[in-house]
Amino acid sequence: MFKNEEMEINLGPQHPSTHGVLRVKLHLDGETVTKCTPIIGYLHRGVEKICENQTYFQGQVWTDRMDYVASISNNLGWAEGVEKLFGIEVPRRAKYIRTMLTEQNRLASHLLWLATHALDIGAMTVFLYAFREREYLLDLFEAFCGARLTTTAFRIGGLREDLPPGFIKSAQAFQDRFLPCIDEYEELLTENRIWKKRTVGVAKLNAEDCIALGVTGPVLRAAGVPYDIRKAFPNAAYAEMDFEIPTRPEADTYARYLVRLAEMRQSHRIIQQCIEGLPEGPVMAKIPKILRSEVNEVYHPIEAPKGELGYYFVGEKGGTMPYRMHVRAPSFVNLQALSKMTEGRLLADVIAAIGTLDVVLGEIDR
Amino acid sequence: MVNLNTVLLISSLLFAIGIAGVLIRRNALVILMSIELMLNAANLNFIAFARHSGSVSGQAFALLVMGFAAAEVAVGLALVVALYRKRDTVQVDDINLLKG
Amino acid sequence: MPTMNLTQTMVMGLIQVVAVLILIFVMVPLLTFAERKVIGYIQVRLGATRTAGGHVGITGALNRGMWAMGKVPMLSILRGLPVFVADILKLILKEDIIPAKAERSVFTLAPIISVLAAFGVFSAIAFYPGALFTFPARFPIVGGLPFMGFISDVNVGVLYILALSSVGVYGIVLGAWASNSKYPLLGGLRSAAQIISYEVPLTLSLLTPVLLAGSLNFKDLSVRLSTGADMHWLAIFPLFVGFFVYTTCGFAETNRTPFDLPEAETELVAGFHTEYSGMKFGFFYLAEYTNMIVVSCFASAFFLGGYYLLPFGLQRFIPASVPFLGQPSILFFFLKVFTILFAFLWVRATVPRYRYDQLMDVGWKYLLPLTLVNLFAAALIRFAF
Amino acid sequence: MSFLRTLIPFDIAAGLTVTGRYFGKVFFSANRKKVRTRIKHFTQEYPEVPVNLQPRFRGRLTLLKDEQGEIKCVCCLACEKICPTQVITIEKGKKEGRKMPFPVQYDFEMERCIFCEFCVESCGFDSIILNHQFELAAYNREDFSIGMEGLGQNMFEPSPVGKYSVAED
Amino acid sequence: MEHLLVTIGRDMFAIFGVLALCGGIFMVAAKSAVHSVLGFLFTMLCVAGCFLSLDAEFLGMAQILVYAGGIVVLFLFVVMLVELSKYKEKGVFQLQTRSAVVAVVIGAAVFIGVFRNLLFGVASSEALVLRPELAQGLNVAQQNAQAVSRGLFSDYLLPFEILSVILLVALVGAVVLAKRERV
Amino acid sequence: MTEPIDPQAPAMPEAPTGPYVYDYMAAPNRQVVLPKTVPLPSLRTYQAEVVTAAAADEAKWQKQLADFEVAKAKAEVEGKDAPKPPVRAVPRKDDNDLKTPWPTEAKDADLLKLQELLGDKVEEIFEQAGERVCQVKKEAVLEALKVCRDAASLKYEMLADQSATHYPAAKDFAFSIVYHLTSVSRCQRLRLRILVPEGFIPESACSLYPSANWMEREIYDMLGIRFANHPDMTRILCPEDWEGFPLRKEYPTVGLGQRDIDFRDDRGGVLNRLAMEKAGQMGINLKQPKAD
């Protein structure tokens, strides 16, 4: 440990704070990290290969299992990608409902992030408070599609069923109780001196590095780049929604925390607009029973809670299954930035950096 | 009651152990510890004589010796660490060159 | 106090040691239970409400019957109480694993050192300044002897306690080293550095009451401080700052949040006791909670008024003639101890944890200057007025 | 003022206020006597207090029967084809006095089922549903192979698996 | 029983002293440096016990505080860091061990020869006994700490100040020595 | 294990030799059907297809006409009624039909600019489903990426995604590698595509876009395409010693690389054998997988 003797330490694959089976190989000089190598693949299930052998309808169930904390966003990406591949136009009501559920799912994902990130840094009560609100959201998902986590919420061409009776009412009830809860988290964390010490200036990644490394989502926005696919390439009903892209110039962990909290408030706003402006009409487009594609390729990105989630399809002539399916998982690309964020910093900052990147291993390893 | 010569015997034996440690061990850390042991033997004598004469001077001196011991350990350990960093060893046998 | 012969002294000492041991062995499990409950309530859940097998056997039948009647079985605060027995049973019955590459002797020695250092402290702590009760004359050896509120009345009690608690660090460091594993080693190094650096402000903050009261005897010190005998009224300020610094350092000494870096589970899995299991782990656990109790006893005795009702020497405003409130009582002492223990749990549930270098910063850059200034102020008050 | 704010931890006091408030609320409401009084804690005591499931909850697959007690399934194999994990195996057969085909065997390998409800969606005869059963734990793998008949594997029984769940007994 | 207890109480110093000797021997003879440190710690605690039995309460506690709380932890710290490397000791003892042992034995013999009369002479048991009434001088009104500090801050103020300067110098020196050269 | 055989021992059913192994070679998923066509979207191919289809349609119509003429002549000869004249089939349309996005001529300014800058290194540009596609020569990919990133009017700063597709049925190439570029400042997207044959080592994009690091490792891991000048060309998702490249079309969904892991510390196989014997006593045939 004295004479340039570095300790090599394995953070994971079984470790309380790596959020799954992430393994990070650290070279430590005392407590300072000199080299940081993320090693992934422990959860590799070959989703892309499986989807090449399943029809476009069936493939959606695998997207649930990628980013399992934001499965509705994944469903949306899949459904919209396939619709783009076939040129299907979705009814407006379905678009609104999709937008609302996706935003609720963003809330759920950000709440989970807040919970685990705070727990990593040591604040254990925020964990339970955030899970309490997430529970309401999961109840809403259960009411809509029957499952809480692996939702399989949407269908190609729209939705399977319309909203259940009473859904709007309970969603509105959640809307009413949610904003005070965010204030509560802020009271516990935002001004707390220990929280600020642990996050301000930690794991910095400026805008140039973010763009060069392909980092998207709240991490990019916390570096001051107002890039949001909901605004840049509007999908679903986002073009009709009125919301802002929260950004911060500091590009550190604290800025990401603030950006995500502000995003939660914006999502709350979007859901309110969806509830108020929900149009009447059918929820399913007219599509044939068996979809047969033409030769086509499509890359469809959406703004998942973690960043740009892109689905790349190659269609075969007359094929009912995708010839090639590829997922641009936001966590996969974002995780590349971990070594740049942490090298030269302390061991505890690695934990904060993993937390602030908000990685989900199901999505990274696919 | 305790006899003074018991104290003296034990302290001289402690001192002897310390000398033996300095002379026969090759680990610089153990040598440093042996020196501490000798200082403690001296302290024991101080206190025994203070007790014998009924004056606190000996105890005050023992306290001073303790402070010196602490200073000595700080410097000694710093030396050992510096040595280890330079030569990758704490064995006194291996330190036979003038230049590091 | 009647004079005692040697045998009587030894027997009385034995009785009192056993009493204190019983106190520890009751308080520590209750403390873990309270930790579950308090943190549970803070986190809008119920905490422990049932032990394993709550649905079988007699208690199971009882529980189910009461649920069927639409009643919550028993008082809900007490329903999880058997958990602490289950905890101890689990620790005792669990397989005691010594890793193959571990240094066996040191590995076994480390938890023992921890526990001994933690327990030994109690021999100088006075829970009550005088005799609690007198044994009736019909008892064979101890008849007519008083049962004191302390084991021994050490002249340099404060120093003794500080010295013993500084020995406790060896348990952690040796256990970490003997595990021959990397996470424990990092935890052990952190712990050694942390405890050594926080011992300085801790000791200095304790010097404030020592300076103000002019004694090193635990009992004398506490009584003099709380009654405010020959103390200027300004002394409340250095006492208050001293209390603040002492509690902060106490959190650090006992490795509690926000200073729980040696066992920061999100960084070092479980820190220095990662490789421990069974009763060896239980010893570390016991030592940590015992240390919490010790810190609470200290803070309560020196800053919060000890055996009297009001803290910081405010007791002088209540004349000794007031029947209950003016008199020293063991109840007041334990009330304060429990309050501080509750604060331990409350803070744990609220704040995040520091980073290692920030922890050192807090210790050396803020607490140490603060205590020095405080000490100087106390000396000024003592000698100027 | 800022110096004072640094010296005195107002921020931590604010956090302590939040947590302390919750402690008080839950402490005074949790130690109640009746079950159905207004409670402040969020968690539920699950096996005793039943779970409220939404009507669309997706549980275990079940075959439905019509009013005569006949199995509705007519072996169109739509569910078998659409299943993403191929957990359904149907064997077609004939039965006396029934025009439509009759499933001689309807096997459901629940250990692989992902509860996506595609089978129910594809069924044109409304002959299967996912019921509301969610305590699907068992000690043996064989317990997860559910069929129409067989030892302890009857699909029409209320709980062929999950027999070790607490709520059942 | 009573007799035994009295004996133990009277010979407390001897017990602690012998234990300290055992610890010292363990320290010198132990193969692993950590074991040496353990032995050292034990010796220090026992020496503190000796101090206590010689009516030097304050010094005993100071011994534990300074040695057990500070110095031995430092030793342990350095030993743990040094033993991290895979470097194996070639041998525990030096090459000149035998001659060293001979020298120590000769030294002890000379020592005993010179001081034999003084220590084990006929009158020694009378002259050298530690009389209990003399302990009162060390224990002014049950406050050994006060007595020691009186001595320290009145008679020996200059050595005390020199000591503080030396400590400061040692502090600076240790920091300079142990500081890593940044490349 | 050399134990003396006890003649009085009860006759045990013979324990299966070796551990229980699912016969992956016989599994239905093991059989691989290689694709017959090359579903590579391309304006040129589409236009050729359209022309061919029109020609085929025309030829069919001509044949129908000729048949009709022949039939009419025959009927006239035989004196029967004249057959109905053929009607040219019009493709049926209804609401359920999909509006398939066909490739169209590139009209976008970015694509034209790119062609202008790169000249004959561009093989093809077109638009499909609202996405811009530019196919460049495989040797010039780094140059094309540099132009895309640095040209003032393009400024595609971010490499959002990079992936590859296997085309075993194609003749002069085996893989297509696509680069999805995003311009964060202009909110534009572009797909760059190269076609590489088996064994060709394209230049790595890491020097221009650091985000390509893991994506190229993933492509190597999944499809076996190596990249030149990559800092760390190793497998990323699969273990280091994995056989084959899973996303190639000839790779079966079940079988290759699959291994049975015995978690018990049973080097001599004693525990396994005992378990087999026990299973044999209980009449359970572990050999037969339940799924079949």
Side-chain angles (χ1 to χ4, degrees):
Chain A
M1 196 176 266
F2 286 142
K3 195 178 170 178
N4 299 329
E5 247 185 58
E6 291 177 351
M7 196 186 330
E8 195 183 309
I9 198 167
N10 265 320
L11 211 66
Q14 287 156 354
H15 189 275
S17 72
T18 50
H19 299 199
V21 283
L22 172 65
R23 174 178 163 214
V24 184
K25 206 160 92 183
L26 294 174
H27 288 252
L28 291 182
D29 178 14
E31 287 250 344
T32 316
V33 177
T34 53
K35 195 161 164 251
C36 164
T37 325
I39 297 170
I40 59 174
Y42 289 89
L43 204 57
H44 180 54
R45 295 150 293 178
V47 167
E48 292 176 11
K49 184 77 176 174
I50 295 172
C51 286
E52 285 176 20
N53 293 286
Q54 305 251 306
T55 62
Y56 288 105
F57 293 110
Q58 289 175 342
Q60 196 191 8
V61 301
W62 304 107
T63 63
D64 286 335
R65 274 113 190 128
M66 286 194 294
D67 184 356
Y68 38 78
V69 298
S71 51
I72 293 184
S73 293
N74 283 255
N75 296 158
L76 181 76
W78 174 277
E80 286 193 340
V82 175
E83 280 152 14
K84 198 168 168 186
L85 187 74
F86 286 99
I88 299 169
E89 184 62 31
V90 178
R92 191 149 168 269
R93 182 177 172 85
K95 276 188 179 175
Y96 263 71
I97 295 174
R98 280 182 176 188
T99 310
M100 177 165 69
L101 281 164
T102 312
E103 287 307 314
Q104 281 171 345
N105 199 30
R106 187 185 312 279
L107 282 184
S109 170
H110 278 355
L111 282 172
L112 186 98
W113 165 81
L114 178 68
T116 51
H117 187 45
L119 190 67
D120 283 349
I121 291 185
M124 59 194 293
T125 297
V126 182
F127 181 82
L128 270 291
Y129 288 175
F131 261 59
R132 181 185 53 180
E133 270 68 64
R134 185 168 174 264
E135 198 68 14
Y136 283 108
L137 288 166
L138 294 189
D139 280 346
L140 285 179
F141 301 158
E142 190 190 327
F144 175 68
C145 52
R148 300 162 70 82
L149 205 64
T150 51
T151 48
T152 324
F154 307 137
R155 297 291 182 272
I156 291 153
L159 308 170
R160 184 193 163 201
E161 282 176 285
D162 207 336
L163 294 175
F167 184 89
I168 292 293
K169 206 174 143 220
S170 37
Q172 186 59 51
F174 174 77
Q175 290 291 97
D176 296 342
R177 81 184 301 282
F178 185 59
L179 283 183
C181 291
I182 298 188
D183 293 340
E184 208 165 70
Y185 312 143
E186 292 226 40
E187 202 166 338
L188 276 172
L189 295 179
T190 306
E191 285 302 318
N192 190 308
R193 60 182 66 192
I194 306 177
W195 177 262
K196 274 177 120 169
K197 274 206 163 181
R198 284 300 302 276
T199 51
V200 172
V202 168
K204 278 203 166 202
L205 195 69
N206 60 18
E208 286 77 40
D209 288 338
C210 276
I211 290 174
L213 284 166
V215 175
T216 45
V219 184
L220 180 61
R221 290 194 279 279
V225 182
Y227 175 69
D228 190 324
I229 293 168
R230 291 176 290 175
K231 284 267 192 208
F233 312 104
N235 55 340
Y238 286 117
E240 303 170 32
M241 297 297 156
D242 175 30
F243 63 101
E244 288 152 19
I245 308 174
T247 56
R248 300 283 301 185
E250 293 94 350
D252 58 5
T253 308
Y254 189 61
R256 284 167 214 142
Y257 158 76
L258 291 178
V259 161
R260 282 196 176 101
L261 279 189
E263 260 179 39
M264 275 153 79
R265 291 181 199 276
Q266 294 300 327
S267 291
H268 179 269
R269 216 170 124 193
I270 297 175
I271 297 168
Q272 195 60 43
Q273 289 171 33
C274 285
I275 290 175
E276 279 160 8
L278 192 63
E280 292 299 320
V283 292
M284 191 71 183
K286 285 184 179 147
I287 56 165
K289 258 268 195 246
I290 296 173
L291 287 174
R292 292 195 182 279
S293 64
E294 294 294 329
V295 176
N296 193 355
E297 66 182 331
V298 151
Y299 175 76
H300 184 73
I302 65 157
E303 182 73 24
K306 275 113 197 148
E308 175 177 343
L309 170 71
Y311 281 90
Y312 171 67
F313 291 100
V314 177
E316 204 175 357
K317 188 172 176 61
T320 56
M321 313 185 211
Y323 183 80
R324 170 89 168 91
M325 197 281 283
H326 174 75
V327 187
R328 189 259 190 220
S331 305
F332 179 79
V333 184
N334 288 4
L335 190 63
Q336 287 190 64
L338 183 66
S339 41
K340 189 158 185 81
M341 278 178 173
T342 54
E343 277 170 15
R345 317 275 321 198
L346 295 176
L347 172 63
D349 290 344
V350 179
I351 309 299
I354 294 173
T356 191
L357 279 177
D358 192 12
V359 291
V360 167
L361 268 292
E363 186 177 58
I364 292 172
D365 296 342
R366 288 171 303 219
Chain B
M1 266 297 118
V2 183
N3 211 326
L4 188 59
N5 49 18
T6 325
V7 183
L8 293 183
L9 189 67
I10 282 176
S11 77
S12 59
L13 280 177
L14 265 184
F15 196 83
I17 291 172
I19 286 185
V22 170
L23 287 180
I24 66 177
R25 285 300 297 251
R26 29 164 91 214
N27 193 328
L29 286 162
V30 181
I31 290 175
L32 220 52
M33 280 188 260
S34 304
I35 294 171
E36 290 299 307
L37 204 60
M38 299 195 305
L39 284 172
N40 266 285
N43 264 358
L44 206 54
N45 272 1
F46 267 127
I47 291 185
F49 280 113
R51 174 74 179 72
H52 184 246
S53 62
S55 122
V56 291
S57 306
Q59 295 196 5
F61 260 110
L63 207 60
L64 292 181
V65 170
M66 242 180 245
F68 283 117
E72 177 238 317
V73 162
V75 177
L77 281 180
L79 275 174
V80 170
V81 167
L83 183 72
Y84 180 73
R85 209 178 286 149
K86 270 267 187 293
R87 305 290 303 273
D88 204 10
T89 177
V90 289
Q91 308 294 308
V92 283
D93 282 2
D94 299 344
I95 311 158
N96 44 16
L97 293 175
L98 279 177
K99 239 179 139 188
Chain C
M1 193 193 293
T3 50
M4 299 187 278
N5 63 20
L6 200 59
T7 318
Q8 277 178 326
T9 318
M10 297 304 275
V11 170
M12 272 312 292
L14 206 63
I15 288 172
Q16 276 181 326
V17 165
V18 168
V20 167
L21 278 183
I22 288 172
L23 182 79
I24 295 172
F25 277 104
V26 169
M27 257 178 99
V28 168
L30 275 181
L31 192 55
T32 63
F33 171 68
E35 180 156 22
R36 286 160 207 260
K37 274 298 190 189
V38 168
I39 293 181
Y41 287 158
I42 283 178
Q43 295 172 346
V44 286
R45 47 192 185 90
L46 280 179
T49 53
R50 63 194 81 202
T51 47
H55 288 267
V56 291
I58 301 166
T59 53
L62 197 72
N63 280 354
R64 264 182 286 173
M66 288 196 71
W67 276 111
M69 285 178 345
K71 294 244 171 84
V72 174
M74 296 185 257
L75 257 178
S76 95
I77 192 172
L78 294 177
R79 262 185 303 148
L81 202 57
V83 163
F84 85 81
V85 183
D87 266 351
I88 298 170
L89 275 181
K90 187 197 89 179
L91 284 177
I92 291 174
L93 296 179
K94 218 172 158 184
E95 188 190 355
D96 198 5
I97 300 168
I98 296 180
K101 292 276 175 70
E103 178 92 31
R104 290 186 76 92
S105 51
V106 184
F107 192 81
T108 320
L109 190 64
I112 298 173
I113 293 182
S114 261
V115 163
L116 283 185
F119 280 10
V121 171
F122 276 92
S123 62
I125 287 183
F127 298 99
Y128 186 69
L132 281 172
F133 60 89
T134 312
F135 283 105
R138 64 173 180 277
F139 285 98
I141 300 174
V142 295
L145 290 179
F147 182 84
M148 308 301 283
F150 44 86
I151 292 181
S152 65
D153 193 12
V154 187
N155 267 340
V156 283
V158 177
L159 274 185
Y160 170 78
I161 293 169
L162 286 176
L164 259 193
S165 54
S166 71
V167 173
V169 68
Y170 290 100
I172 292 174
V173 177
L174 288 174
W177 178 80
S179 298
N180 202 0
S181 168
K182 282 169 186 171
Y183 288 122
L185 187 72
L186 269 180
L189 291 180
R190 277 181 174 191
S191 181
Q194 171 181 341
I195 291 186
I196 289 177
S197 18
Y198 272 84
E199 216 158 63
V200 180
L202 181 106
T203 314
L204 286 179
S205 67
L206 269 186
L207 279 187
T208 313
V210 168
L211 191 73
L212 286 169
S215 170
L216 280 174
N217 187 321
F218 190 97
K219 187 179 60 165
D220 286 358
L221 191 54
S222 173
V223 171
R224 280 191 214 179
L225 277 169
S226 45
T227 52
D230 55 84
M231 243 164 58
H232 197 261
W233 64 270
L234 270 176
I236 187 171
F237 294 110
L239 270 182
F240 186 76
V241 176
F243 171 66
F244 172 72
V245 174
Y246 179 78
T247 335
T248 314
C249 295
F251 276 70
E253 282 281 299
T254 49
N255 299 336
R256 299 287 298 182
T257 319
F259 305 104
D260 59 342
L261 294 178
E263 43 192 290
E265 81 268 9
T266 51
E267 293 151 32
L268 301 179
V269 186
F272 63 89
H273 57 63
T274 305
E275 306 285 347
Y276 278 89
S277 68
M279 207 50 218
K280 290 207 187 76
F281 167 74
F283 274 3
F284 277 126
Y285 203 68
L286 193 61
E288 181 182 333
Y289 281 83
T290 314
N291 279 332
M292 271 166 70
I293 296 174
V294 169
V295 168
S296 309
C297 285
F298 254 61
S300 135
F302 295 158
F303 300 103
L304 293 186
Y307 324 108
Y308 291 90
L309 178 65
L310 290 183
F312 305 122
L314 293 174
Q315 183 68 27
R316 79 185 75 161
F317 299 118
I318 299 183
S321 53
V322 179
F324 181 64
L325 301 179
Q327 296 297 319
S329 166
I330 195 166
L331 286 180
F332 293 147
F333 187 75
F334 275 102
L335 186 73
K336 285 157 192 168
V337 168
F338 288 143
T339 312
I340 296 173
L341 286 176
F342 177 75
F344 266 104
L345 309 181
W346 191 8
V347 169
R348 183 184 170 197
T350 306
V351 295
R353 109 171 32 92
Y354 274 112
R355 207 171 59 198
Y356 179 67
D357 56 332
Q358 292 162 354
L359 175 99
M360 289 293 159
D361 277 7
V362 170
W364 289 109
K365 289 190 192 162
Y366 297 99
L367 291 182
L368 187 60
L370 191 62
T371 40
L372 285 176
V373 169
N374 191 38
L375 198 60
F376 190 69
L380 215 64
I381 289 167
R382 171 80 199 248
F383 294 107
F385 301 108
Chain D
M1 192 60 210
S2 72
F3 174 74
L4 203 67
R5 211 174 291 143
T6 333
L7 205 63
I8 304 173
F10 285 117
D11 45 337
I12 290 174
L16 286 173
T17 319
V18 172
T19 47
R21 206 166 53 222
Y22 272 110
F23 175 79
K25 269 188 198 169
V26 181
F27 182 80
F28 290 116
S29 80
N31 299 319
R32 68 212 186 277
K33 292 240 170 55
K34 285 258 180 67
V35 179
R36 291 287 167 212
T37 46
R38 187 167 165 70
I39 52 170
K40 289 288 198 309
H41 57 87
F42 190 75
T43 49
Q44 286 185 351
E45 299 186 58
Y46 152 60
E48 290 90 2
V49 181
V51 182
N52 285 327
L53 289 177
Q54 303 288 346
R56 289 185 184 176
F57 183 81
R58 311 198 296 241
R60 180 179 64 83
L61 180 73
T62 310
L63 275 174
L64 287 185
K65 294 180 176 174
D66 59 8
E67 295 83 36
Q68 283 82 44
E70 281 277 311
I71 290 170
K72 276 185 179 175
C73 176
V74 295
C75 303
C76 64
L77 304 189
C79 49
E80 190 181 329
K81 278 195 195 109
I82 196 126
C83 183
T85 46
Q86 292 104 37
V87 298
I88 301 172
T89 317
I90 305 175
E91 202 174 304
K92 233 181 209 175
K94 282 277 176 195
K95 198 184 171 189
E96 296 279 319
R98 176 169 158 147
K99 254 193 280 170
M100 306 296 265
F102 176 80
V104 176
Q105 205 181 345
Y106 194 105
D107 282 347
F108 172 49
E109 300 278 332
M110 209 190 62
E111 55 182 347
R112 267 186 294 149
C113 181
I114 55 174
F115 308 103
C116 59
E117 215 174 13
F118 280 2
C119 44
V120 179
E121 218 170 305
S122 73
C123 186
F125 299 86
D126 294 336
S127 62
I128 45 176
I129 54 159
L130 297 189
N131 64 10
H132 282 195
Q133 192 185 328
F134 64 96
E135 288 156 324
L136 303 171
Y139 285 120
N140 298 316
R141 278 196 157 193
E142 287 72 28
D143 290 341
F144 291 110
S145 307
I146 298 172
M148 273 174 35
E149 48 205 36
L151 201 67
Q153 301 186 355
N154 198 327
M155 190 169 261
F156 308 108
E157 271 185 11
S159 173
V161 287
K163 46 190 155 192
Y164 300 105
S165 75
V166 189
E168 279 296 320
D169 55 14
Chain E
M1 179 72 189
E2 192 120 332
H3 175 72
L4 185 70
L5 289 176
V6 169
T7 319
I8 287 177
R10 196 187 55 204
D11 295 342
M12 204 56 107
F13 175 83
I15 294 169
F16 275 126
V18 170
L19 285 178
L21 288 181
C22 296
I25 290 170
F26 180 73
M27 178 195 107
V28 173
K31 270 210 171 86
S32 156
V34 170
H35 289 171
S36 281
V37 174
L38 271 180
F40 184 51
L41 172 66
F42 185 69
T43 315
M44 290 304 115
L45 292 179
C46 290
V47 168
C50 290
F51 289 0
L52 281 181
S53 60
L54 286 174
D55 291 319
E57 293 161 356
F58 178 75
L59 219 60
M61 291 308 147
Q63 170 88 0
I64 300 183
L65 262 179
V66 172
Y67 274 97
I71 292 178
V72 185
V73 175
L74 271 184
F75 269 112
L76 198 58
F77 215 78
V78 175
V79 166
M80 273 163 66
L81 293 182
V82 168
E83 294 230 328
L84 270 183
S85 64
K86 296 287 164 284
Y87 185 82
K88 284 272 169 264
E89 289 192 28
K90 277 173 274 177
V92 177
F93 300 115
Q94 282 184 1
L95 302 172
Q96 316 89 320
T97 299
R98 259 177 236 157
S99 35
V101 168
V102 168
V104 169
V105 167
I106 290 172
V110 168
F111 177 80
I112 290 172
V114 172
F115 293 103
R116 184 184 40 150
N117 279 339
L118 194 61
L119 286 176
F120 306 107
V122 187
S124 65
S125 60
E126 295 299 318
L128 295 180
V129 77
L130 300 176
R131 275 166 300 172
E133 66 270 16
L134 279 178
Q136 295 306 317
L138 301 175
N139 222 342
V140 185
Q142 301 295 316
Q143 297 277 354
N144 177 241
Q146 276 185 7
V148 174
S149 49
R150 288 254 158 79
L152 201 59
F153 291 111
S154 59
D155 300 345
Y156 302 104
L157 188 62
L158 185 65
F160 185 76
E161 293 298 329
I162 293 174
L163 172 68
S164 49
V165 174
I166 285 181
L167 273 175
L168 186 68
V169 170
L171 183 76
V172 175
V175 168
V176 170
L177 274 174
K179 199 162 166 263
R180 182 174 319 200
E181 309 94 52
R182 292 275 168 216
V183 184
Chain F
M1 299 288 287
T2 52
E3 283 175 346
I5 298 155
D6 191 2
Q8 258 74 46
M12 263 187 209
E14 197 186 331
T17 53
Y20 163 57
V21 180
Y22 183 82
D23 191 1
Y24 294 115
M25 296 306 283
N29 298 5
R30 182 73 168 79
Q31 270 60 50
V32 177
V33 183
L34 281 175
K36 303 278 188 300
T37 57
V38 186
L40 184 76
S42 151
L43 182 62
R44 213 175 292 147
T45 327
Y46 172 64
Q47 281 166 345
E49 255 175 38
V50 167
V51 168
T52 322
D57 196 41
E58 188 60 35
K60 199 177 161 195
W61 172 241
Q62 291 301 333
K63 189 165 180 297
Q64 271 180 339
L65 276 184
D67 286 351
F68 171 66
E69 289 300 325
V70 171
K72 204 165 84 174
K74 202 175 167 190
E76 266 179 19
V77 169
E78 290 176 4
K80 284 181 193 163
D81 288 347
K84 268 192 237 164
V87 185
R88 189 159 189 167
V90 181
R92 211 150 48 84
K93 287 240 178 224
D94 62 26
D95 284 351
N96 282 6
D97 271 0
L98 303 171
K99 299 170 205 65
T100 310
W102 299 110
T104 54
E105 201 74 50
K107 295 187 189 68
D108 189 83
D110 280 15
L111 284 178
L112 298 175
K113 175 87 182 168
L114 202 58
Q115 188 166 37
E116 181 193 316
L117 285 173
L118 285 172
D120 59 344
K121 296 198 178 76
V122 174
E123 285 179 349
E124 196 175 7
I125 49 170
F126 63 95
E127 290 176 45
Q128 187 171 19
E131 297 186 7
R132 314 185 180 99
V133 187
C134 172
Q135 181 178 322
V136 295
K137 287 195 170 138
K138 57 182 182 284
E139 296 85 6
V141 58
L142 210 58
E143 191 184 337
L145 285 172
K146 198 168 170 54
V147 167
C148 285
R149 193 187 68 167
D150 295 339
S153 57
L154 296 174
K155 283 205 349 205
Y156 288 98
E157 303 104 339
M158 188 192 279
L159 176 65
D161 190 20
Q162 184 181 357
S163 68
T165 313
H166 188 207
Y167 295 105
K171 287 189 183 62
D172 45 354
F173 64 93
F175 302 100
S176 78
I177 302 176
V178 289
Y179 299 78
H180 291 108
L181 303 173
T182 306
S183 170
V184 173
S185 50
R186 295 168 53 233
C187 291
Q188 299 289 340
R189 283 206 307 271
L190 172 75
R191 178 183 305 134
L192 214 62
R193 184 168 77 187
I194 56 172
L195 304 178
V196 296
E198 182 78 63
F200 181 80
I201 300 182
E203 278 289 317
S204 162
C206 278
S207 52
L208 293 172
Y209 296 104
S211 62
N213 188 337
W214 280 19
M215 297 172 187
E216 282 172 0
R217 278 177 72 187
E218 193 194 342
I219 291 174
Y220 164 64
D221 192 0
M222 290 292 145
L223 290 134
I225 306 170
R226 294 191 148 271
F227 287 88
N229 303 329
H230 189 278
D232 178 24
M233 197 80 251
T234 49
R235 285 194 181 263
I236 184 166
L237 291 177
C238 296
E240 287 291 309
D241 54 347
W242 193 263
E243 296 162 19
F245 300 102
L247 277 184
R248 291 196 179 198
K249 288 289 170 188
E250 70 260 14
Y251 192 93
T253 45
V254 162
L256 275 189
Q258 210 145 0
R259 55 191 87 173
D260 292 294
I261 302 167
D262 204 350
F263 287 103
R264 292 170 299 190
D265 191 10
D266 187 12
R267 300 228 173 81
V270 181
L271 285 174
N272 215 332
R273 192 178 61 82
L274 287 177
M276 283 295 146
E277 282 175 8
K278 182 99 177 165
Q281 281 168 0
M282 290 165 68
I284 300 169
N285 189 2
L286 290 178
K287 264 279 190 190
Q288 253 180 10
K290 194 138 192 161
D292 288 354

